[in-house]
């Protein structure tokens, strides 16, 4: 077993408290408060981070407001903005080793998967939106209401203003990039608040943004508590837009907080995403795909395939297949290579996941694999868990667990499985496994979810809109659709 030792660059970075970025200046919190940052693979404190106060929040919003109103960013040419966004992507690649090490330490993501997956993906997110900067367009219109007169009518897409971007801990870098890149492409000024648990990569990203040429005040970083400063951002009268990813519960609080000035809100919330395996599926691929869909990043993924519906004729075989994979998986610190699954984010979250599994057991679910905590190196580990013979009266089927826990149920017909898949407060994602293209597309049309995969699961792409039906959210991330959510549309009617 290799023992991880911190690179000198990261060691140096973590020796100081992580700081706030306000109006181009790095600082500690005005009242000097800090919070601890844990490595979920070891339970050790690896850093401290400034805990922004209400007055820090006021200063950050004011800086964003000033920079926006002065046009420091929006008045650059679209090509100039695009070049800076592209440069952020290049810098992310250049600093990829350091970034991946920070995500590994902070979020418990294994190094190699992050270095070759999430880092280039975040870089491509900035490049994707770099391309959109020069392609934000209005339209010309024709008037019918006033005959015999000439008019020139057009629409303009304008940046919405100051955007508060509130990010969760499960994909700290990528989820920050998904918000910051379209907001900057549209010409907004931003205040970014990462999750308390995972500030490290956001701070590093902000340094790279300044290096790339994003002007002071256009990007501000507030570290600290969601229930205090996150809430203040969502309420703030000088904030025009809030984009939030996290729990449905907090999403609803954001809507309430946003009411004061009716700021625009987009929400990417939780899910309980169904996977449907029909009897004619390629079973090896479907079983392997289902296991990946729930166990990658220990199930702490908003689109995790957490409900599995299997045609009754192949039910036992699939349960056994997924349970076999789960039982063979190795679980251990993200800081050591070779494990199939890393830790959960915190001790509190680990306990919550375990309690939910216990509730499922008490409700009568059959534990086909896992179900236990793993005591290893002080980290927050749980066995990959498969709960079979579950039904829709059970909390494990209805509640988002956000851990490595799969519930499995049999079905007979397409009508029945569509009804079961749609019997959820959530509607984020789903996957369908079959060789029959008619069945695949009919099912895809019938499922109420924002993103459907056929014979695969959780493949993201910057060009593909991503977001939820029902209580999985408002609006979409990625694609041109996300960019539009950082703009206002103005119509101009001129009598000639
Ligand atoms: P959460 O409370 O919704 O946190 C997400 C972000 O919102 C964090 O930055 C958090 O800050 C901030 N926040 C918390 N309360 C806020 C408020 N009143 N106003 C504004 N911002 C606020 O999520 P969590 O507690 O970390 O996780 C709880 C559950 O949410 C998970 O078990 C999972 O079910 C779900 N979740 C979903 C996603 C997703 O990708 N859709 C991501 C993460 C979690 P702090 O870090 O300071 O609390
Ligand atoms: Mg929370």
């Amino acid at each position: 077993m290799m023992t991880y030792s911190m690179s000198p660059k990261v060691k140096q970075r973590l020796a100081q408290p992580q700081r706030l970025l306000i109006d181009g200046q790095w600082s500690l919190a005005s009242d000097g408060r800090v919070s601890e940052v844990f490595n979920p693979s070891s339970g050790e404190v690896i850093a401290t981070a400034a805990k922004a106060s209400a007055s820090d929040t006021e200063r950050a919003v004011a800086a964003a407001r000033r920079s926006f109103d002065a046009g420091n960013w929006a008045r650059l040419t679209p090509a100039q903005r695009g070049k800076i966004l592209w440069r952020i992507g290049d810098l992310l690649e250049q600093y990829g080793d350091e970034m991946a090490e920070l995500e590994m330490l902070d979020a418990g993501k294994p190094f190699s998967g992050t270095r070759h997956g999430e880092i280039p993906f975040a870089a491509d997110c900035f490049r994707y939106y770099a391309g959109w900067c020069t392609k934000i367009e209005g339209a010309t219109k024709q008037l019918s209401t006033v005959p015999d007169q000439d008019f020139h009518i057009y629409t303009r897409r304008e940046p919405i203003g100051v955007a508060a971007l509130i990010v969760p801990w499960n994909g700290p870098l990528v989820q920050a990039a998904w918000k910051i890149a379209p907001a900057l492409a549209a010409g907004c000024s931003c205040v970014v608040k990462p999750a308390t648990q995972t500030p490290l990569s956001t701070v590093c990203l902000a340094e790279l943004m300044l290096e790339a040429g994003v002007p002071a005040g256009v990007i501000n970083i507030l570290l600290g508590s969601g229930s205090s400063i996150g809430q203040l951002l969502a309420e703030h009268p000088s904030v025009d837009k809030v984009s939030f990813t996290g729990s449905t519960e907090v999403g609803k609080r954001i809507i309430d907080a946003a009411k004061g000035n009716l700021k625009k809100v987009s929400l990417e919330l939780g899910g309980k995403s169904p996977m449907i395996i029909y009897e004619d599926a390629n079973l090896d691929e479907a079983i392997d795909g289902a296991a990946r869909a729930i166990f990658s990043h220990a199930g702490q993924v908003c689109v995790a395939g957490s409900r599995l519906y299997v045609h009754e004729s192949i039910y036992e075989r699939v349960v056994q297949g997924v349970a076999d994979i789960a039982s063979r998986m190795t679980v251990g610190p993200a800081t050591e290579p070779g494990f199939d699954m890393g830790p959960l984010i915190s001790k509190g979250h680990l306990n919550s996941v375990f309690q939910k599994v216990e509730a499922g057991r008490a409700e009568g679910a059959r534990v086909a694999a896992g179900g236990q905590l793993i005591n290893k190196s002080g980290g927050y580990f749980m066995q990959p868990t498969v709960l079979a013979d579950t039904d829709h009266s059970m909390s494990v089927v209805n509640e988002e667990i956000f851990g490595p826990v799969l519930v499995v149920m049999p079905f007979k017909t397409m009508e029945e499985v569509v009804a079961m898949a749609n019997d959820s407060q959530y509607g984020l994602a789903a996957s369908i496994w079959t060789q029959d293209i008619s069945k695949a597309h009919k099912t895809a049309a019938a499922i109420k979810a924002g993103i459907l995969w056929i014979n695969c699961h959780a493949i993201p792409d910057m060009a593909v809109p991503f977001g939820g039906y029902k209580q999985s959210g408002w609006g979409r991330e990625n694609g041109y659709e996300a960019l539009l959510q950082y703009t206002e549309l103005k119509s101009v009617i001129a009598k000639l």
Side-chain angles (χ1 to χ4, degrees), residues 1 21 23-24 78 81 89 111 113 126 185 194 302 337 359 400 407 421 423 445 469:
M1 193 164 73
L21 176 63
D23 213 5
R81 286 207 307 274
F111 181 85
F126 282 96
C302 46
E400 182 177 46
V407 297
D423 177 23
Y469 281 36

Side-chain angles (χ1 to χ4, degrees), residues 169 197 226-227 247 249-250 253:
W169 45 261
Q197 276 141 334
S227 54
S247 60
E249 185 196 340
V250 173
R253 245 176 265 157

